[in-house]
Amino acid sequence: MAVSSAAMAMFQRLTTIEEIGNECLTRFHYSTHRLAVRVCRRRQELLQSKEFYYHRKRTGYTQKAACLIQSLKCDSDPDGSKPVGPPRYGITAFEPVSGTWGRVDPVPKYPDGLPLFCQITSCEGKILVMGGWDPTNYEAVRDVFTYEFTTQR
């Protein structure tokens, strides 16, 4: 099997194992970063750095995702006709290239659902969740939570 001239040129530029490893990491799907950071502290620092995110973005290896707020399944009364308790919501990510849907991990302070009426925005590969009402006592929430796709936290 012959190696193309483009592949040879790439391998001549990548002279060290470290550089080859970094190029491979650049191509990893963001969902694998959570496991890849466990290899060593240096890999963790690299995968979680802004520079690495910008490098992936510049080279075209970041994935676009649409994030939606969706209702979570609620408990029902015994006859199943009405939900019991306040409504619960979570963030779902849709990746159009692969056609996959996935639930984003809940906000640690609110594991049973997002604060009601919270505001959501995204920037630089992160989701920000701001304010809202506490779903248990309906008091105003002044917290801001950040979810990073690179760490999936």
Side-chain angles (χ1 to χ4, degrees):
M1 180 173 175
V3 178
S4 72
S5 60
M8 284 302 291
M10 182 182 81
F11 281 115
Q12 288 172 354
R13 284 182 286 148
L14 302 174
T15 57
T16 67
I17 297 296
E18 184 75 22
E19 289 173 334
I20 293 170
N22 288 345
E23 284 302 311
C24 291
L25 288 173
T26 299
R27 290 163 171 76
F28 277 6
H29 189 270
Y30 76 88
S31 65
T32 62
H33 289 185
R34 187 179 230 171
L35 296 173
V37 297
R38 295 180 184 173
V39 171
C40 67
R41 185 174 304 273
R42 224 170 51 195
R43 289 284 183 243
Q44 179 181 15
E45 290 170 358
L46 173 69
L47 287 168
Q48 294 175 353
S49 70
K50 288 182 183 178
E51 292 79 15
F52 184 70
Y53 170 78
Y54 290 126
H55 172 71
R56 291 184 75 230
K57 189 173 183 179
R58 189 175 50 254
T59 56
Y61 289 106
T62 55
Q63 289 86 21
K64 303 262 188 229
C67 294
L68 308 160
I69 305 299
Q70 290 188 317
S71 177
L72 300 174
K73 188 168 182 147
C74 292
D75 297 328
S76 303
D77 61 0
D79 66 1
S81 62
K82 294 193 303 187
V84 176
R88 301 180 321 133
Y89 300 95
I91 302 172
T92 302
F94 173 67
E95 205 175 320
V97 173
S98 64
T100 58
W101 290 87
R103 182 80 63 198
V104 173
D105 290 340
V107 174
K109 193 171 178 180
Y110 299 97
D112 294 327
L114 293 171
L116 301 173
F117 308 111
C118 64
Q119 302 295 308
I120 308 271
T121 190
S122 66
C123 181
E124 301 297 328
K126 299 175 185 170
I127 300 174
L128 298 172
V129 177
M130 302 168 284
W133 292 358
D134 187 316
T136 57
N137 57 20
Y138 300 110
E139 291 183 9
V141 172
R142 303 179 106 187
D143 300 319
V144 176
F145 302 99
T146 304
Y147 177 84
E148 294 194 43
F149 279 96
T150 56
T151 60
Q152 295 186 352
R153 293 186 192 140

